[in-house]
Amino acid sequence: MDEFRLIEQFFRRDSRSSEVVVGIGDDGAVVKADTDKNLVLVTDTLVEGVHFPEGTTPHDLGFKLLAVNLSDIAAMGATPRWFLLNLVLPDANESWLEGFSTGLFSLATEFGVELIGGDTARGPLCVSATVGGQVQSGTALRRNGAQAGDQVWVSGTLGDAAIGLDLVHGVLGASDNDRGYLVGRLNRPKPRVELGLALGAIATAGIDISDGLLADLGHILKESGTLGASVDTSCLPLSPQAIGACGESLARQKALTGGDDYEICFTANPAQRLPIEQLKDKCNINLTCIGSVRSHAGIALTGTDNHDLTGIWAGYRHEWS
Ligand code: ADP
Ligand code: MG
């Protein structure tokens, strides 16, 4: 199969949106620009063995690729609209492509994002997407607005995906039910788009947790001007499945440092507590206050283990020797 048949068969769909003037099939895509809104652009790449374990099903991979990009859109408080898809594939296996495109489009349909183009090449497995979204001018959720005295909040539960990865690698064991849930959290993260949109008017700063809570909260604090935070580790939201698989103490460690949960961490003035509580019902999501922002640098952990983790854990980063 050549690249053109591959695109026709698996990725070209009828356009659903009148905003897309030219979609797949030309040298570039053309979309209508909304003059009173700003464009938000995000891109993310998944490399086998680095971002997903070998043996990840094509369905999960297609789903996760779009999910991690939509999570960035969510963390900007934007509405996702279109995306470009870059595929580097070792071969054109039809059942692999069927699974990948099914996973990808299941999420694209759910969030109303349209595939408008991309690129396809032969090589070692690597997939990448670029999503365009829209935000009302001046309402994007940034990393740099946190202030001393703000409360620190997180959505959902933390540490599940990192425990899921340990299960896939055979480092931990769990019951079939817990395993299904935790590996599902690793492979099919839920982008918190509705939450991100609502937070635009409530939060002072926000980020999606892809590299671990301490690392990503650290990005907010640094971008907001060398601030610090205290985090009450007894408040960290842990799923019963996470505790079941590895016990509370290790689950808490995973919640602090494990990546891939794609929950949102945000800061807000304490006066916003009520509107935030109301968001739980509106977005049908767990929101937990885990600490507060302070004026001196470093993240102090209180609650269960009293130690200061300043500089101990920088989160996942790619390095070249
Ligand atoms: P060009 O030669 O101009 O780079 P291509 O031959 O790579 O164009 O692509 C032809 C058309 O197919 C373009 O509209 C491109 O955006 C689209 N396309 C290529 N790969 C993909 C893909 N993986 N998913 C969606 N659209 C794609
Ligand atoms: Mg090309």
Side-chain angles (χ1 to χ4, degrees):
M1 151 149 32
D2 67 28
E3 58 178 297
F4 302 107
R5 220 193 96 206
L6 185 156
I7 295 159
E8 287 297 326
Q9 188 171 336
F10 295 102
F11 298 105
R12 193 163 176 167
R13 305 263 167 116
D14 289 336
S15 181
R16 281 171 294 110
S17 155
S18 57
E19 286 173 348
V20 177
V21 184
V22 179
I24 293 175
D26 215 308
D27 293 305
V30 179
V31 294
K32 284 196 177 123
D34 222 327
T35 45
D36 65 329
K37 296 203 179 99
N38 288 342
L39 266 182
V40 177
L41 297 165
V42 306
T43 190
D44 245 321
T45 298
L46 301 182
V47 179
E48 185 168 39
V50 180
H51 302 96
F52 61 94
E54 255 175 70
T56 301
T57 68
H59 188 115
D60 285 343
L61 185 59
F63 188 102
K64 184 162 184 172
L65 174 63
L66 191 55
V68 301
N69 277 280
L70 292 179
S71 177
D72 277 330
I73 288 278
M76 294 303 294
T79 306
R81 302 298 308 157
W82 325 278
F83 71 109
L84 298 160
L85 175 68
N86 287 9
L87 300 175
V88 183
L89 305 173
D91 46 41
N93 178 303
E94 293 209 18
S95 82
W96 192 97
L97 283 158
E98 187 63 48
F100 179 87
S101 58
T102 303
L104 181 88
F105 283 114
S106 71
L107 204 60
T109 305
E110 183 182 340
F111 284 91
V113 280
E114 193 167 321
L115 179 60
I116 57 171
D119 198 27
T120 306
R122 189 171 167 185
L125 181 59
C126 171
V127 297
S128 161
T130 301
V131 177
Q134 293 178 322
V135 71
Q136 213 60 249
S137 310
T139 67
L141 184 58
R142 304 281 313 273
R143 294 181 180 182
N144 66 1
Q147 303 207 333
D150 281 355
Q151 292 177 324
V152 179
W153 295 77
V154 292
S155 65
T157 54
L158 301 182
D160 295 332
I163 297 169
L165 185 62
D166 281 351
L167 292 171
V168 170
H169 284 151
V171 181
L172 285 174
S175 68
D176 283 353
N177 271 352
D178 288 356
R179 185 190 163 87
Y181 173 82
L182 295 162
V183 175
R185 290 274 287 155
L186 172 71
N187 289 329
R188 305 213 186 165
K190 290 233 170 352
R192 304 301 188 188
V193 172
E194 195 187 358
L195 175 65
L197 275 170
L199 287 177
I202 292 175
T204 50
I207 190 169
D208 67 324
I209 306 176
S210 54
D211 296 336
L213 171 65
L214 291 181
D216 289 316
L217 173 58
H219 292 310
I220 287 185
L221 299 171
K222 179 165 172 279
E223 292 299 321
S224 299
T226 353
L227 296 173
S230 66
V231 169
D232 184 345
T233 57
S234 67
C235 295
L236 292 170
L238 306 174
S239 69
Q241 292 88 346
I243 295 172
C246 65
E248 212 169 308
S249 174
L250 183 56
R252 212 173 274 121
Q253 283 292 328
K254 296 287 183 186
L256 288 169
T257 60
D260 261 8
D261 277 323
Y262 298 99
E263 295 296 346
I264 303 282
C265 172
F266 62 96
T267 57
N269 189 286
Q272 298 291 345
R273 187 176 263 277
L274 188 62
I276 292 170
E277 296 289 345
Q278 288 164 344
L279 275 187
K280 291 184 191 175
D281 284 337
K282 185 173 171 252
C283 301
N284 191 23
I285 195 175
N286 191 32
L287 298 174
T288 310
C289 179
I290 58 162
S292 57
V293 178
R294 55 186 195 173
S295 55
H296 49 290
I299 299 177
L301 300 182
T302 64
T304 46
D305 315 288
N306 274 326
H307 45 253
D308 206 315
L309 273 211
T310 314
I312 290 184
W313 178 252
Y316 189 82
R317 59 181 68 186
H318 299 267
E319 285 178 19
W320 290 262
S321 48

